[in-house]
Amino acid sequence: MEGLENRLKRAGVDGLMLVSDSIHDANMFYLTNFLMPDPFIYIRKDNSEFIIVSRMEFRRAKKESKIRDVRSTDEYGMLDLLKKHKDVQKARLELLKDVLNKEGIKRIAVPMNFSFFIASELNDFEILPVRLLEDLREVKTKAEIKSIKSAQQACESAMQVAIDAIRKADINKDVLNLTSEDVKVIIEHDLINKGCRADDIIVASGKQSSDPHCSGSGALEINTSIVIDIFPYLKKERYHADMTRTVLRGSPTKETEEMYQTVLDAQNIAISNIRAGVTGKEIHVAVCDLFQERGYDFIHSTGHGVGLDVHEGPSLAENGDKLKAGNVITVEPGLYDPEIAGVRLEDLVLVTAKGCKNLTRFQKQLVI
Amino acid sequence: MEGLENRLKRAGVDGLMLVSDSIHDANMFYLTNFLMPDPFIYIRKDNSEFIIVSRMEFRRAKKESKIRDVRSTDEYGMLDLLKKHKDVQKARLELLKDVLNKEGIKRIAVPMNFSFFIASELNDFEILPVRLLEDLREVKTKAEIKSIKSAQQACESAMQVAIDAIRKADINKDVLNLTSEDVKVIIEHDLINKGCRADDIIVASGKQSSDPHCSGSGALEINTSIVIDIFPYLKKERYHADMTRTVLRGSPTKETEEMYQTVLDAQNIAISNIRAGVTGKEIHVAVCDLFQERGYDFIHSTGHGVGLDVHEGPSLAENGDKLKAGNVITVEPGLYDPEIAGVRLEDLVLVTAKGCKNLTRFQKQLVI
């Protein structure tokens, strides 16, 4: 990982340190490829790197991690430290100090989410929070793009079964004989069959859909928007996809039709403007301008990076920096009227030197 | 939440601050009951508390969060800050300083996992990492216990379908016509139907099962252990359960039978010793002693707390403190022979004044 070494040199540090689990902390999984529910230690010094895991995880780490130098906390006398301190945190801190001293590390970079508690206890060392892994993660490798494409395929399959269920559902007065919860379960079953999983899913109709992150509950309404937002990840590779469609059973109002067309136009403008070198801000402003022209207000950003985290950089928003080839970002304009409903369309695109490649093939059609 | 107020007083601070999302950070969900994929701010001062969320999340936070005082970043001029700094982190930091100043907060407690980056930028304030929420979370309320019981029911239902599938599977030479992956998918489908989800599942046979956290892959072996460890959480309430069973198709070796009996005896000893006031260390030592007596070595802890996180306090281990009534802990002795297989049995118990209540009803039977 050449990028990392150069960046550490530029930061003028002796190394890089992480202390976290790798289920919650994508940085740790990114570096180690080792899925671990409890905190462990990653150290990089010059171009060598090692991890320190508990005795119990040692053999598995040897097998599953991409780090060749796997060490056990036993090598650093963890059991004696536990007996001495009778406190796992104190024992871990002494172990960490011991490791840094043995490696001759004085000044070390840590990621932005590094624990304040640990840093504040390492008084003899200079700890520098550096936005480094987060930056690296924004530009995807071929293997990462392949994983994201696989997740996206699963996402589209699940979207299809969801929309099929909505299309076929009986109408019972002014609602479908089908709830948000039903559709979410249908989606989850399909994702599981495709090797994916979702931490959450949005299936929200009518006024519920006017709240962009409302998960949705109860019977789905007719003649109004149903927003379906699916953002699964591959169980093994841990990479996400992200897609939203808005559909409707029955007859749309003029307002909903206009909102849908405006969102679609905004998405097309955004996608046609995306290429390496353009800023996320420029893309976002183009969407905001179109919405304003047509009398609407935009309450969220136009998009975000997708990878090991479903929300990561770069951002298509007021603070959006220059896009780079290899960024994988969502393009998800949306309009929300609290009195009516919401409309959102979200595609996932890969930024290239000359434009972008839309990784999303799923059709966009309001009335189903 | 009286406990929290008193603890903050004892720590001599003006308040408590969290800045994180509530999907990865259980402390944030514990305080707010608001599920949010992006970072937001929680502040407690004396006995009042408020959260600050983005404009987009404002209405949803009002509806879904248990916090009454919900504020929007708009109230603190976030859009202008973003335009000024062109950097979302700098803008957030200035907003945070503004909030603390307006509240007259100088000295503030933060949880142990608070970001070093944020803390190091708040130079004008005294930031104290305090183990406080983690302690509170260890003693469960009635509502929390109810949620854990629901998750446990789902866990047992999934265990049953998994074991049924293994029992019914055809034998193909020395393996089952069924893979670890098949069983995990069967488990996931059942969990989803019960309103649960699992971040990971272990179904590992033979030598794979001798690595306690090996997730398992490939055809399941006969005449050897199959370890099934399921730790799902309720999608809505977010509370976990945790249970492990070891089963076997065919004929066990004498070694496996002896390991199974020893693990079962160890679990019974541990459970019979658990009550409020006993230390986690005492329970763990009793298990270690039995294992040693019978010539085995124990490579992990005897148990851990379960709640919003699947691994939380208290710990049944070398560093285990006094147990309290209301702790919900796993009791999961296991033995692992890299040349043969592993055996683990895990129940979930509620610590009471006089003993413990086993929340697990699922049978323990090696040969199926």
Side-chain angles (χ1 to χ4, degrees):
Chain A
M1 196 187 297
E2 204 196 1
L4 185 53
E5 218 185 314
N6 283 340
R7 279 156 195 264
L8 288 171
K9 269 190 193 156
R10 257 196 288 131
V13 292
D14 300 330
L16 172 68
M17 165 175 64
L18 280 78
V19 183
S20 62
D21 71 79
S22 54
I23 288 190
H24 297 92
D25 186 355
N27 285 332
M28 195 56 140
F29 187 78
Y30 183 72
L31 287 173
T32 64
N33 223 22
F34 181 50
L35 203 59
M36 163 88 160
D38 298 305
F40 63 110
I41 297 170
Y42 168 94
I43 304 269
R44 185 182 181 95
K45 198 196 159 191
D46 303 324
N47 57 357
S48 74
E49 54 185 0
F50 60 92
I51 57 174
I52 307 175
V53 301
S54 69
R55 176 159 62 141
M56 173 183 127
E57 300 286 9
F58 182 71
R59 278 194 301 138
R60 189 169 71 90
K62 281 279 214 188
K63 261 183 241 158
E64 297 179 10
S65 162
K66 71 179 178 192
I67 307 291
R68 287 182 171 206
D69 185 355
V70 176
R71 306 178 188 179
S72 160
T73 51
D74 277 6
E75 295 178 38
Y76 294 91
M78 186 58 175
L79 214 60
D80 289 334
L81 290 173
L82 270 176
K83 280 179 185 163
K84 177 179 158 193
H85 291 291
K86 293 190 178 73
D87 180 305
V88 71
Q89 262 161 339
K90 283 182 188 159
R92 278 184 191 154
L93 278 169
E94 191 171 331
L95 189 150
L96 197 55
K97 287 175 193 171
D98 186 28
V99 174
L100 294 176
N101 284 327
K102 279 182 177 150
E103 299 297 321
I105 289 171
K106 277 284 163 200
R107 186 177 154 85
I108 193 159
V110 296
M112 301 300 273
N113 61 348
F114 193 79
S115 152
F116 174 50
F117 169 70
I118 297 176
S120 62
E121 294 285 329
L122 296 174
N123 297 316
D124 298 340
F125 306 89
E126 202 179 338
I127 318 279
L128 262 84
V130 178
R131 198 184 145 77
L132 188 147
L133 296 167
E134 295 83 355
D135 282 349
L136 274 176
R137 283 169 46 202
E138 288 186 5
V139 177
K140 268 70 182 176
T141 63
K142 272 186 189 170
E144 289 180 295
I145 293 164
K146 196 179 159 198
S147 290
I148 293 170
K149 280 181 180 172
S150 299
Q152 178 61 23
Q153 273 183 359
C155 189
E156 298 196 15
S157 162
M159 184 66 79
Q160 192 63 59
V161 297
I163 290 177
D164 287 348
I166 292 168
R167 185 186 288 118
K168 287 173 193 159
D170 292 331
I171 293 174
N172 188 347
K173 286 182 186 168
D174 51 353
V175 296
L176 295 183
N177 208 351
L178 187 75
T179 65
S180 290
E181 291 87 344
D182 293 336
V183 179
K184 285 188 261 190
V185 164
I186 289 168
I187 290 169
E188 288 202 83
H189 283 306
D190 198 67
L191 290 175
I192 282 168
N193 289 335
K194 303 290 189 308
C196 281
R197 197 181 280 141
D199 282 335
D200 202 3
I201 293 164
I202 293 172
V203 180
S205 72
K207 286 186 186 179
Q208 285 180 7
S209 70
S210 74
D211 207 336
H213 276 173
C214 173
S215 171
S217 61
L220 291 168
E221 295 175 43
I222 61 165
N223 306 324
T224 185
S225 290
I226 302 172
V227 171
I228 309 167
D229 190 347
I230 313 179
F231 33 102
Y233 64 91
L234 293 174
K235 285 185 236 180
K236 191 166 175 292
E237 295 83 357
R238 313 288 293 178
Y239 282 86
H240 288 78
D242 197 353
M243 174 169 65
T244 306
R245 289 294 180 263
T246 301
V247 297
L248 183 146
R249 277 287 303 273
S251 308
T253 61
K254 199 165 157 285
E255 285 87 348
T256 302
E257 273 184 332
E258 282 175 4
M259 278 165 76
Y260 192 90
Q261 190 57 48
T262 303
V263 169
L264 188 58
D265 292 346
Q267 197 190 36
N268 286 332
I269 285 173
I271 290 175
S272 69
N273 284 331
I274 288 172
R275 66 169 194 280
V278 171
T279 68
K281 179 172 178 169
E282 289 171 89
I283 307 299
H284 182 60
V285 166
V287 169
C288 292
D289 286 350
L290 178 82
F291 282 170
Q292 209 170 7
E293 243 170 57
R294 301 204 191 165
Y296 297 105
D297 189 23
F298 190 21
I299 62 165
H300 59 70
S301 69
T302 298
H304 54 82
V306 171
L308 288 174
D309 279 324
V310 66
H311 284 180
E312 53 183 51
S315 182
L316 302 182
E318 185 57 39
N319 59 307
D321 281 337
K322 273 188 187 173
L323 299 175
K324 291 178 185 139
N327 290 156
V328 173
I329 51 178
T330 67
V331 184
E332 49 174 317
L335 291 172
Y336 309 90
D337 184 331
E339 300 307 315
I340 305 174
V343 169
R344 184 166 65 256
L345 293 171
E346 177 182 31
D347 283 3
L348 192 62
V349 309
L350 169 65
V351 179
T352 61
K354 294 187 176 171
C356 71
K357 190 184 166 193
N358 198 332
L359 305 180
T360 315
R361 293 170 180 218
F362 203 88
Q363 73 277 6
K364 292 162 200 162
Q365 187 190 332
L366 177 61
V367 181
I368 60 165
Chain B
M1 197 185 300
E2 202 194 359
L4 185 53
E5 219 184 315
N6 283 341
R7 278 156 194 263
L8 288 172
K9 267 188 194 157
R10 256 195 288 134
V13 292
D14 300 331
L16 172 68
M17 164 174 66
L18 280 79
V19 183
S20 62
D21 71 79
S22 53
I23 287 189
H24 298 91
D25 186 356
N27 285 332
M28 195 54 141
F29 187 78
Y30 183 72
L31 287 172
T32 64
N33 222 22
F34 181 51
L35 202 60
M36 164 88 159
D38 299 304
F40 63 110
I41 298 169
Y42 168 94
I43 304 268
R44 185 181 180 95
K45 200 198 159 190
D46 302 324
N47 58 357
S48 74
E49 55 184 359
F50 61 92
I51 57 175
I52 307 175
V53 301
S54 69
R55 175 160 63 141
M56 175 183 126
E57 300 287 8
F58 182 71
R59 280 194 299 138
R60 189 170 71 91
K62 281 279 215 189
K63 262 184 241 160
E64 296 178 12
S65 162
K66 70 179 179 191
I67 307 292
R68 285 182 174 207
D69 185 355
V70 176
R71 305 178 189 180
S72 161
T73 50
D74 277 6
E75 294 177 39
Y76 293 91
M78 185 59 174
L79 213 60
D80 290 334
L81 291 173
L82 270 177
K83 280 179 185 164
K84 178 180 156 191
H85 290 290
K86 293 191 179 72
D87 180 306
V88 69
Q89 261 161 339
K90 283 183 186 157
R92 279 184 190 153
L93 278 169
E94 189 170 333
L95 188 151
L96 197 55
K97 288 175 192 171
D98 185 29
V99 174
L100 294 175
N101 283 327
K102 279 181 177 150
E103 298 298 321
I105 290 170
K106 277 282 162 201
R107 187 176 153 83
I108 193 159
V110 296
M112 301 297 273
N113 62 348
F114 193 80
S115 152
F116 174 51
F117 168 71
I118 297 175
S120 63
E121 294 284 329
L122 296 173
N123 297 316
D124 297 340
F125 306 89
E126 203 180 337
I127 318 281
L128 263 82
V130 179
R131 199 182 145 79
L132 188 147
L133 295 167
E134 294 83 356
D135 282 349
L136 274 176
R137 282 170 45 202
E138 288 186 4
V139 177
K140 267 67 181 178
T141 63
K142 274 187 187 167
E144 288 179 297
I145 293 164
K146 196 179 160 198
S147 290
I148 292 170
K149 281 182 180 171
S150 298
Q152 179 60 24
Q153 272 183 1
C155 190
E156 298 196 15
S157 162
M159 185 66 80
Q160 193 62 61
V161 297
I163 290 177
D164 287 346
I166 292 168
R167 184 186 290 117
K168 288 174 193 160
D170 293 330
I171 293 175
N172 188 345
K173 289 183 186 168
D174 51 352
V175 296
L176 295 183
N177 207 353
L178 187 75
T179 64
S180 290
E181 291 87 344
D182 293 336
V183 179
K184 284 188 259 189
V185 164
I186 288 168
I187 289 169
E188 289 202 81
H189 283 306
D190 197 66
L191 290 175
I192 282 168
N193 289 335
K194 303 291 189 306
C196 280
R197 195 182 282 142
D199 282 336
D200 202 2
I201 293 163
I202 292 172
V203 180
S205 72
K207 288 187 184 175
Q208 286 181 5
S209 71
S210 75
D211 207 337
H213 275 173
C214 173
S215 171
S217 60
L220 291 168
E221 295 175 42
I222 61 165
N223 306 325
T224 185
S225 291
I226 302 172
V227 171
I228 310 168
D229 190 346
I230 313 179
F231 34 102
Y233 64 91
L234 293 173
K235 284 185 235 181
K236 191 167 174 291
E237 295 82 359
R238 313 288 293 178
Y239 283 87
H240 289 77
D242 198 352
M243 176 169 62
T244 305
R245 289 294 180 264
T246 300
V247 297
L248 183 147
R249 277 286 304 272
S251 309
T253 61
K254 200 166 156 282
E255 286 87 351
T256 303
E257 272 183 335
E258 282 175 5
M259 280 165 75
Y260 192 89
Q261 190 57 48
T262 303
V263 169
L264 188 58
D265 292 345
Q267 197 189 37
N268 286 332
I269 285 173
I271 290 174
S272 69
N273 284 331
I274 288 172
R275 65 169 195 280
V278 171
T279 68
K281 179 174 178 167
E282 289 171 89
I283 306 299
H284 182 60
V285 165
V287 169
C288 292
D289 286 350
L290 178 82
F291 282 170
Q292 210 171 4
E293 245 170 56
R294 302 208 190 162
Y296 297 105
D297 187 24
F298 190 20
I299 62 165
H300 59 70
S301 67
T302 298
H304 54 82
V306 171
L308 289 175
D309 278 323
V310 67
H311 285 180
E312 54 182 52
S315 182
L316 303 183
E318 186 57 40
N319 60 306
D321 282 335
K322 272 189 187 174
L323 298 175
K324 292 178 185 140
N327 290 156
V328 173
I329 50 177
T330 66
V331 185
E332 49 174 317
L335 291 173
Y336 309 90
D337 186 329
E339 301 307 316
I340 304 174
V343 170
R344 185 167 64 256
L345 293 171
E346 177 183 31
D347 283 3
L348 192 62
V349 309
L350 169 66
V351 179
T352 61
K354 294 188 178 172
C356 72
K357 190 184 165 194
N358 197 333
L359 305 180
T360 315
R361 294 170 179 217
F362 204 86
Q363 73 277 8
K364 291 162 201 162
Q365 187 190 330
L366 178 62
V367 181
I368 58 167

